Amino acid sequence: MNLDSFKNERLSNNLKTNLNYIKNVFKKDDILRIREFYINSKIKCALFFFDGMVNSGILNESVLEPLLEYKGEITTPIEDLILDKIIFAAESSKTQKVDEMLRSIQYGDTLLIADGSAYGITINTKGWRTRGISEPVDEKVLQGPREGFDEAVMLNMAMIRRKLPTPDLCVETFFIGRSTDTRVFVTYLDSIVNKKALNILKERLAKIKIDGILDTNYIAELINPDKVKLFKTIGSTERPDIVAARLLEGRIALLVDGSPVVLTLPYLFTENFQSDDDYYLNHRVAVIGRILRYFCFFLSISVPSVFLALITHHKHLLPTPFFITTAASRDGVPFTAITECLVLIFIFEILRETGLRTPQGMGHALSIVGGLVVGQAAVSANIVSAPMLIIVALSGVSGLMVARLKGAVFYSRIGLVLLGNYFGLFGYFTGIFTIFILAFSLESFSVDSTSDLLTADFQSIKDTFIRTSWKNMITRPIGISENKVRQKDIE
């Protein structure tokens, strides 16, 4: 059963009937705890909560103890007496809807039901343990905040609220998943948000009909209308400062209970080349890294393809000494150039993934051993040629500079290698133009993802290929928000 089947259900006035009803709902759940007692020896009540999900201190001191020690007059309705005069909980409310009661206790609240009342009182007693605040492993910075999101969505929301202490910050709650009933928060700054993108997001969230949501990637795939895309159109981060910065640009953040990853949208293509450090270091230093990332992206996808095209179809374009060296190195190699290149690319990916999946100390050692020992042994055994090994290694290392484009780099590299091998430089340039077309046709929630790259205006490119100083960032990124000015009026 899921909570949708309880939408029209209501409690009765009889405590025994309500007890049996809730016990039947959770008849196969052994961690449900029920505590029956009397208020002033007159009114029988029952508390329902899940073991391990409540703070026992809050439950005992703010709820159970005041109820047991109350000696005053019993007035009706009893639910109002309990809420107004007895319990000390900071957050509590009454409801007649069974689905709301079940949802509350499943999220760590305590449900209180009294005999003679058709209302249930939900009391905030959440108290499960969390991983705690720590710096995200994949988004470390040299300077700047060291905090990252946790799996507890309320803690994540509090971290965003701490960064943006303004009543303009809006938070809307959705419950998605027939079985998991997962809380999903959509947050934005009301005065600057892209209203069209917000409406599109809400429409797509309402259409999700799945049994469970366990991570933000579930939603990222479900709200993306295009099934096949080379480049992503939804951003993700585990850093509260990045989410706050995106919200201040007019974007929307989407948080999922149980996941430390927050989605941000609309997403611009230039975000693939931005680093968190860019905004915490001097802009003259940051611009070096920004330019290098663009350069390394093209280097990573192009070097193997161009090399294959030259040694296969355009030998006359190579300097004679270089051609002689390359030809001599391939003497005795049993594989064709294309086979050699593809095998080395896949071996590099295997070594990289192995380094990521194994324990940290062992992973680093394995990567070094795999890269140096295996590579040198392969060249010495004449299985691969040294120039091809250098080319693939250069391509692979360059790709690490743009981690957000991991998938796009891999598929682009393979596609260009095939085109360069069979059609030469003509095939390579055809592939590059295709990648450009795919990139410049991207749209993220009604926003052109490359709109900031299509104008020559300085305010449009101030945070694209370069990162200028903050005093020059007068407007928000083009196309995101109708409220364009974020620092001062433009003269």
Side-chain angles (χ1 to χ4, degrees):
M1 291 187 293
N2 56 69
L3 291 182
D4 289 340
S5 59
F6 296 98
K7 280 188 175 181
N8 298 320
E9 298 290 328
R10 299 292 184 270
L11 292 181
S12 70
N13 290 321
N14 186 277
L15 179 60
K16 186 176 181 180
T17 302
N18 294 334
L19 268 170
N20 292 331
Y21 179 81
I22 296 178
K23 285 180 179 178
N24 184 62
V25 173
F26 297 106
K27 59 185 177 183
K28 294 184 179 181
D29 197 327
D30 292 336
I31 68 169
L32 177 69
R33 301 290 180 259
I34 302 175
R35 173 69 159 86
E36 299 180 45
F37 59 94
Y38 285 88
I39 298 178
N40 201 5
S41 302
K42 296 178 181 179
I43 302 296
K44 189 176 183 180
C45 301
L47 289 172
F48 302 84
F49 59 92
F50 281 105
D51 192 9
M53 298 187 69
V54 299
N55 185 316
S56 57
I58 295 176
L59 180 60
N60 292 331
E61 296 172 12
S62 301
V63 180
L64 192 55
E65 186 177 333
L67 289 167
L68 291 173
E69 293 182 353
Y70 181 75
K71 302 300 180 183
E73 181 183 359
I74 301 296
T75 59
T76 55
I78 185 65
E79 63 273 4
D80 291 337
L81 171 69
I82 293 172
L83 283 171
D84 298 339
K85 296 185 178 180
I86 302 182
I87 62 175
F88 301 147
E91 183 183 344
S92 56
S93 60
K94 65 179 183 180
T95 180
Q96 285 184 303
K97 299 179 179 179
V98 172
D99 62 323
E100 292 182 1
M101 300 178 200
L102 299 180
R103 176 178 286 125
S104 294
I105 62 174
Q106 290 181 113
Y107 272 104
D109 292 341
T110 297
L111 174 65
L112 171 61
I113 299 177
D115 194 20
S117 173
Y119 285 89
I121 299 174
T122 58
I123 308 163
N124 185 355
T125 55
K126 299 180 183 71
W128 59 76
R129 292 187 178 182
T130 62
R131 175 168 52 93
I133 299 174
S134 59
E135 187 174 12
V137 176
D138 294 332
E139 296 183 78
K140 291 185 177 181
V141 294
L142 299 176
Q143 296 181 24
R146 304 292 180 182
E147 58 185 5
F149 287 123
D150 188 75
E151 281 74 17
V153 70
M154 295 306 299
L155 175 60
N156 296 343
M157 199 60 245
M159 294 170 73
I160 295 175
R161 175 68 70 178
R162 189 161 60 95
K163 295 284 184 183
L164 299 171
T166 168
D168 196 33
L169 182 65
C170 300
V171 183
E172 298 186 32
T173 307
F174 296 80
F175 291 92
I176 304 177
R178 293 189 299 271
S179 297
T180 59
D181 196 46
T182 306
R183 277 188 298 182
V184 176
F185 289 164
V186 174
T187 181
Y188 53 90
L189 292 174
D190 190 53
S191 63
I192 60 176
V193 69
N194 187 312
K195 295 295 196 302
K196 186 174 181 180
L198 180 62
N199 292 332
I200 293 174
L201 173 62
K202 290 180 181 179
E203 291 175 3
R204 293 179 183 177
L205 288 175
K207 293 178 180 178
I208 295 177
K209 306 297 180 184
I210 192 173
D211 57 352
I213 296 292
L214 301 178
D215 185 73
T216 49
N217 188 60
Y218 286 55
I219 292 182
E221 292 186 14
L222 291 169
I223 63 176
N224 196 338
D226 296 326
K227 304 301 180 183
V228 179
K229 278 186 177 180
L230 184 61
F231 302 100
K232 63 180 184 178
T233 55
I234 299 175
S236 61
T237 182
E238 294 184 43
R239 297 181 60 91
D241 54 319
I242 297 301
V243 173
R246 296 289 180 260
L247 294 177
L248 287 169
E249 291 177 345
R251 304 178 208 256
I252 306 160
L254 191 147
L255 297 81
V256 173
D257 194 13
S259 174
V261 179
V262 174
L263 301 181
T264 59
L265 53 99
Y267 187 75
L268 298 181
F269 180 72
T270 52
E271 290 182 58
N272 293 311
F273 303 94
Q274 295 173 355
S275 170
D276 305 336
D277 276 318
D278 289 352
Y279 305 94
Y280 300 126
L281 299 174
N282 184 278
H283 68 97
R284 294 182 181 86
V285 177
V287 72
I288 299 173
R290 183 74 61 86
I291 294 173
L292 280 176
R293 284 188 286 275
Y294 278 97
F295 176 72
C296 285
F297 170 68
F298 287 103
L299 197 66
S300 179
I301 65 176
S302 299
V303 170
S305 177
V306 172
F307 181 71
L308 278 175
L310 291 175
I311 66 173
T312 305
H313 297 279
H314 308 284
K315 300 180 181 68
H316 58 282
L317 296 178
L318 292 171
T320 302
F322 181 76
F323 173 72
I324 294 173
T325 302
T326 302
S329 68
R330 289 198 49 78
D331 186 30
V333 175
F335 305 110
T336 62
I338 179 65
T339 303
E340 184 184 4
C341 182
L342 290 175
V343 168
L344 286 174
I345 288 175
F346 279 103
I347 289 176
F348 183 88
E349 290 298 320
I350 290 171
L351 290 172
R352 188 172 63 84
E353 286 295 322
T354 303
L356 290 174
R357 308 301 173 197
T358 51
Q360 188 171 2
M362 188 184 301
H364 291 166
L366 185 63
S367 298
I368 294 172
V369 170
L372 294 178
V373 178
V374 176
Q376 181 61 40
V379 172
S380 300
N382 228 22
I383 297 175
V384 297
S385 62
M388 186 65 75
L389 182 63
I390 294 171
I391 291 296
V392 172
L394 176 62
S395 173
V397 172
S398 299
L400 298 178
M401 283 283 288
V402 281
R404 292 173 181 165
L405 289 171
K406 173 185 172 182
V409 165
F410 178 76
Y411 290 116
S412 299
R413 184 190 298 152
I414 296 297
L416 290 176
V417 161
L418 295 175
L419 289 171
N421 180 75
Y422 293 111
F423 302 102
L425 290 178
F426 173 78
Y428 164 74
F429 283 112
T430 300
I432 286 292
F433 290 142
T434 302
I435 292 172
F436 270 99
I437 292 171
L438 292 174
F440 281 89
S441 63
L442 287 175
E443 185 177 276
S444 176
F445 291 82
S446 78
V447 172
D448 185 354
S449 295
T450 53
S451 55
D452 53 343
L453 299 175
L454 299 176
T455 60
D457 177 54
F458 172 73
Q459 284 299 319
S460 300
I461 62 172
K462 62 188 178 301
D463 195 21
T464 53
F465 302 106
I466 61 171
R467 202 282 276 182
T468 186
S469 63
W470 277 110
K471 67 179 181 180
N472 292 324
M473 292 193 188
I474 299 173
T475 63
R476 296 183 175 86
I478 187 171
I480 295 291
S481 172
E482 294 183 2
N483 187 340
K484 298 179 180 180
V485 180
R486 63 176 166 188
Q487 187 170 169
K488 61 183 179 181
D489 292 331
I490 302 176
E491 298 178 358

